[in-house]
Amino acid sequence: MPIKIPADLPAYDVLTNEGVMVMSEDQAARQDIRPLRIGLLNLMPKKIQTENQFARLIGAGPLQIELSLIRMSEHQTRNTAAEHMAEFYRPFQEVKDQKFDGLIITGAPIEHLAFEDVTYWDELCEVMDWTQTNVHSTFGVCWGGMAMLHHFHRVPKHILSDKLFGCYRHANLSPASPYLRGFSDDCVVPVSRWTEVRAPEVEAAGLPILLGSDVAGPCLIEDPAHRAIYILNHFEYDSGTLREEYERDLSQNQIEGAEIQLPLNYFPDDNPNATPQNRWRSHAHLLYGNWINEIYQTTNFDLSKIGH
């Protein structure tokens, strides 16, 4: 079964051309089933790119998914057309009376700020508390996952001296986890961040680490008490996303004078002119497919009973 998104959302044509099954509102209405309602709270500056990345992963399975795009109510993006935001996104305050089977909270390029200094932090805290009554399962990604760890467990984030940037191999620390069905003993995950959470502090909070690296630290963390999982890295990235970030950093370097490092284990032979190979796509689909399957197996058919 396909993912249900508006026919004029840019992701519709992108995913159709890739062979991902998509359907319009009219097509979905003719099917006598309840689709899973998944919300995407998109905090990334490149909204359309992020929509495509997550829709691709959650729309690849056999279940019908209804994707709802959500934004912070007062925060105005400067990188996506206002017309796109007005047509496809709804502010959180307009959807907080609704129920969702799943919610993805994306990362945000604001790692250098203390959580409480983020302009929309108060509303994000409201969102995170709201997930406990209105969302069956929440997936926090990168900064979004760190924010949830901080909010629910006071696990701190630590500033790194150098950017953790590249493709890092991670060990499968919990092969029996339903979220890691089909995973190899280790896998490659794209990483791009200036902050980290530390394994001893995560474990002290009583949270199991499912994927981890001796170099990059915890990657995938489960939070059963809050019906959530947190991934601190970027399985959703396209093949060229790290290259785009590298070129962006090089461009900024001409202005700021900072030393820019090549993403580790990304370009063949560390040649930035070579085409990067995607070595994480299959595990990305496994993880998000397993998350959707867990939601399907455990959510209530009656949406009104989610959170009770």
Side-chain angles (χ1 to χ4, degrees):
M1 299 296 289
I3 182 171
K4 184 178 79 171
I5 54 179
D8 48 354
L9 185 73
Y12 191 97
D13 289 336
V14 171
L15 301 187
T16 298
N17 291 334
E18 293 179 2
V20 177
M21 294 181 66
V22 295
M23 65 163 47
S24 66
E25 299 278 347
D26 291 340
Q27 290 173 301
R30 293 196 293 269
Q31 294 194 329
D32 190 21
I33 61 174
R34 180 176 88 72
L36 292 180
R37 294 201 69 205
I38 305 295
L40 177 64
L41 180 61
N42 192 350
L43 306 177
M44 291 295 285
K46 293 185 176 181
K47 305 293 186 194
I48 296 175
Q49 181 186 58
T50 304
E51 296 158 16
N52 294 343
Q53 290 171 346
F54 284 106
R56 177 182 297 117
L57 292 174
I58 66 173
L63 303 173
Q64 186 185 131
I65 306 293
E66 177 183 324
L67 181 63
S68 298
L69 302 177
I70 306 170
R71 64 172 176 84
M72 305 309 296
S73 299
E74 300 301 326
H75 182 72
Q76 301 298 321
T77 182
R78 294 174 295 177
N79 298 280
T80 304
E83 294 80 8
H84 181 87
M85 299 300 296
E87 183 172 0
F88 298 113
Y89 280 78
R90 296 186 64 189
F92 169 68
Q93 297 301 326
E94 290 186 9
V95 303
K96 66 179 184 180
D97 291 333
Q98 299 179 22
K99 303 273 188 169
F100 291 85
D101 298 292
L103 176 73
I104 297 170
I105 301 178
T106 74
I110 47 177
E111 293 179 272
H112 62 288
L113 294 175
F115 289 116
E116 290 77 11
D117 291 339
V118 175
T119 55
Y120 51 77
W121 179 249
D122 288 344
E123 186 178 35
L124 186 59
C125 289
E126 183 183 357
V127 171
M128 292 185 285
D129 290 336
W130 167 85
T131 65
Q132 300 307 287
T133 57
N134 288 61
V135 178
H136 182 65
S137 179
T138 306
F139 204 149
V141 179
C142 200
W143 184 86
M146 292 185 183
M148 295 186 73
L149 284 167
H150 172 74
H151 180 67
F152 288 128
H153 300 281
R154 313 314 296 175
V155 173
K157 66 179 173 74
H158 302 274
I159 301 293
L160 296 168
S161 57
D162 297 300
K163 186 178 183 179
L164 202 61
F165 191 36
C167 296
Y168 293 79
R169 192 162 290 280
H170 289 72
N172 181 346
L173 303 177
S174 184
S177 169
Y179 298 110
L180 299 183
R181 286 192 188 97
F183 264 63
S184 307
D185 292 336
D186 64 9
C187 58
V188 171
V189 191
V191 181
S192 179
R193 48 184 164 83
W194 283 95
T195 54
E196 67 176 357
V197 299
R198 296 173 180 166
E201 293 170 333
V202 172
E203 292 165 346
L207 303 176
I209 300 172
L210 308 184
L211 292 175
S213 163
D214 291 340
V215 178
C219 173
L220 184 66
I221 301 164
E222 186 177 3
D223 185 356
H226 295 92
R227 303 187 311 282
I229 54 174
Y230 313 127
I231 188 164
L232 307 184
N233 303 322
H234 291 285
F235 263 138
E236 82 280 3
Y237 270 9
D238 298 323
S239 302
T241 305
L242 289 178
R243 165 180 275 178
E244 293 171 9
E245 293 188 4
Y246 173 64
E247 293 173 347
R248 177 203 64 198
D249 291 348
L250 283 177
S251 176
Q252 293 178 347
N253 178 42
Q254 297 175 0
I255 302 173
E256 300 172 3
E259 182 178 353
I260 302 303
Q261 64 189 57
L262 201 70
L264 187 72
N265 300 322
Y266 177 59
F267 292 110
D269 300 321
D270 286 335
N271 177 5
N273 295 315
T275 300
Q277 290 185 326
N278 190 309
R279 292 174 288 143
W280 59 89
R281 183 182 294 117
S282 58
H283 283 100
H285 281 280
L286 275 174
L287 176 60
Y288 282 86
N290 288 339
W291 177 61
I292 292 294
N293 182 60
E294 281 302 294
I295 291 175
Y296 175 73
Q297 297 293 338
T298 59
T299 194
N300 202 300
F301 184 84
D302 184 349
L303 269 171
S304 67
K305 294 183 179 179
I306 286 177
H308 293 284

